[in-house]
Amino acid sequence: MSRSADPGNFFQTETSIEETQRKAKKSTNNAGNPIKLPSKILAIAADPTNPARVYVAESAGTARRVVLETGEKSHIYRGPTAPVTCLALGPGVIYAGCWDKAIWSWDINTRATQRKYLGHGDFVKATLCFKLEGKELLVSGGADATIIVWDTASSEKLYTLKGHARGIQDLVVDPTTVLPDSVTIFSASSDREIRRWTISVKNSAETANTQPIIAHETSVYKLSFDAGDDLWTASADNTAKCLSRERGWQADTELLHPDFVRDVLVDERGGWVVTACRDEDIRVWNRATGDLHHIFSGHFEEVTGLLLVGSMVVSVSIDATIRQWSLKPDDLQAAKLAAQEEFDGVETEEVKPANNKTSQLTEDEERELAQLMDDTP
């Protein structure tokens, strides 16, 4: 018996029909110069050797290298049959965490499949790689609430770190702790805790004399350190926060959103904080005041990741597009003006002539009225 995947053949509520129509209409927009891919995009990572390229993780089970300026999909990395959720890049190697509970790896240039890392009991959500004592290490976090440290050369599992009660959402290196033989990483989890772990070749464990950082009411999705070494967080409690190192990781900035916050980054040169929200929008905030400055709208599904490339924010979404948003002062001001004009219903490409037939005032009377209005306090 054949089965249809057409939603028109199933019962739909009026609300779901309206939402489908809204997304279909919005999907035709070209805001952010969309680069369209075949499947949902779940993560983005920078190319450490070329800022003009990015790597993305796709729900179709592939990782892909994309040239931002041309949209060229220059390299595709295949193997998994389940969604790829996260990426990390090492010297000549790309690592990808997957729903199949494994971490896949490929040679960046030849795209040949290399080692496969097996050890998690549920899908992998976060990956990091770095070198200590001349040894390349891979760190992964899974929905099984564990963090695993791997020797990339042998795919040997060196340490399994436990402490979180729910799945790991993100991992990030504390830039103030990087030493030749050890480093501290921060982990974010669905249990709302942020924990610290000291990683070395000889031993890895939760950092001594530390307690979990609890700054949110529910899941913490993303962590990002700024140039001042303070920690920015994105959470399902509809906030992004800056946790001050000097104040013992207490929040000194809180940015309120209408829905889950999926990612956060800081543009140091421009003085902006940029956030990705489940409501499909990307928000630009004044870092000094915490005021909302502008909203970039273009994606028609949830935004899943952000990357800062120079003065350009690159965003990815479940809508299967990569979009780019300039933070250059002139471009940002132009985008803000265009958004305001659209909101006010002003046509930017065509100015409609006035219909004088509807006016009952003479030209002189209209001029006098305009002057009076200008003089009104």
Side-chain angles (χ1 to χ4, degrees), residues 311-330:
S311 59
M312 189 76 71
V313 174
V314 185
S315 60
V316 294
S317 167
I318 289 175
D319 68 12
T321 67
I322 302 170
R323 298 179 188 247
Q324 301 171 64
W325 317 92
S326 176
L327 297 181
K328 292 180 179 178
D330 290 347

Side-chain angles (χ1 to χ4, degrees), residues 324-363:
Q324 301 171 64
W325 317 92
S326 176
L327 297 181
K328 292 180 179 178
D330 290 347
D331 293 340
L332 189 55
Q333 183 58 33
K336 188 174 181 180
L337 178 61
Q340 186 61 51
E341 288 177 339
E342 183 178 356
F343 179 80
D344 292 339
V346 176
E347 295 187 7
T348 58
E349 296 182 358
E350 178 182 354
V351 178
K352 291 185 177 181
N355 186 353
N356 292 329
K357 292 181 180 180
T358 61
S359 175
Q360 298 180 357
L361 300 178
T362 67
E363 185 177 343

Side-chain angles (χ1 to χ4, degrees), residues 90-91 95 117 128-139 149-159 178-183 199-204:
Y95 302 95
Y117 303 82
L128 279 177
C129 61
F130 44 79
K131 183 174 288 188
L132 294 177
E133 299 185 37
K135 187 184 291 287
E136 194 74 25
L137 300 182
L138 174 68
V139 183
V149 183
W150 310 82
D151 179 349
T152 61
S154 64
S155 68
E156 178 188 358
K157 183 165 58 173
L158 300 178
Y159 308 104
V178 178
L179 298 172
D181 60 350
S182 69
V183 68
I199 309 298
S200 71
V201 175
K202 298 181 177 63
N203 186 38
S204 294

Side-chain angles (χ1 to χ4, degrees), residues 125-263:
K125 290 296 299 288
T127 48
L128 279 177
C129 61
F130 44 79
K131 183 174 288 188
L132 294 177
E133 299 185 37
K135 187 184 291 287
E136 194 74 25
L137 300 182
L138 174 68
V139 183
S140 58
D144 59 2
T146 66
I147 298 169
I148 299 178
V149 183
W150 310 82
D151 179 349
T152 61
S154 64
S155 68
E156 178 188 358
K157 183 165 58 173
L158 300 178
Y159 308 104
T160 299
L161 309 177
K162 298 182 179 181
H164 285 290
R166 299 182 65 186
I168 310 300
Q169 294 287 343
D170 197 21
L171 299 168
V172 67
V173 171
D174 181 350
T176 69
T177 67
V178 178
L179 298 172
D181 60 350
S182 69
V183 68
T184 295
I185 64 172
F186 282 51
S187 59
S189 169
S190 297
D191 64 9
R192 79 181 182 133
E193 295 182 347
I194 300 170
R195 290 177 177 260
R196 288 159 281 183
W197 313 84
T198 300
I199 309 298
S200 71
V201 175
K202 298 181 177 63
N203 186 38
S204 294
E206 190 158 10
T207 304
N209 303 316
T210 63
Q211 295 295 321
I213 300 167
I214 301 178
H216 291 278
E217 297 176 4
T218 185
S219 301
V220 181
Y221 290 130
K222 280 291 183 179
L223 303 174
S224 177
F225 282 98
D226 62 23
D229 299 325
D230 290 330
L231 182 65
W232 288 84
T233 60
S235 171
D237 67 6
N238 299 4
T239 68
K241 295 184 180 183
C242 178
L243 308 186
S244 169
R245 185 185 296 268
E246 189 175 90
R247 296 177 54 199
W249 308 112
Q250 295 297 309
D252 64 8
T253 301
E254 181 177 292
L255 308 176
L256 301 178
H257 294 68
D259 209 331
F260 295 179
V261 187
R262 287 297 190 182
D263 206 348

Side-chain angles (χ1 to χ4, degrees), residues 36-48:
K36 297 181 180 180
L37 298 185
S39 64
K40 299 173 183 178
I41 308 173
L42 305 182
I44 184 171
D47 185 332

Side-chain angles (χ1 to χ4, degrees), residues 15-16 83 98 104 202 206 239 248 265 269 293 303 316 344 346:
T15 300
S16 66
C98 184
W104 293 69
K202 298 181 177 63
E206 190 158 10
T239 68
L265 58 79
R269 289 186 296 180
H293 182 74
V303 182
V316 294
D344 292 339
V346 176

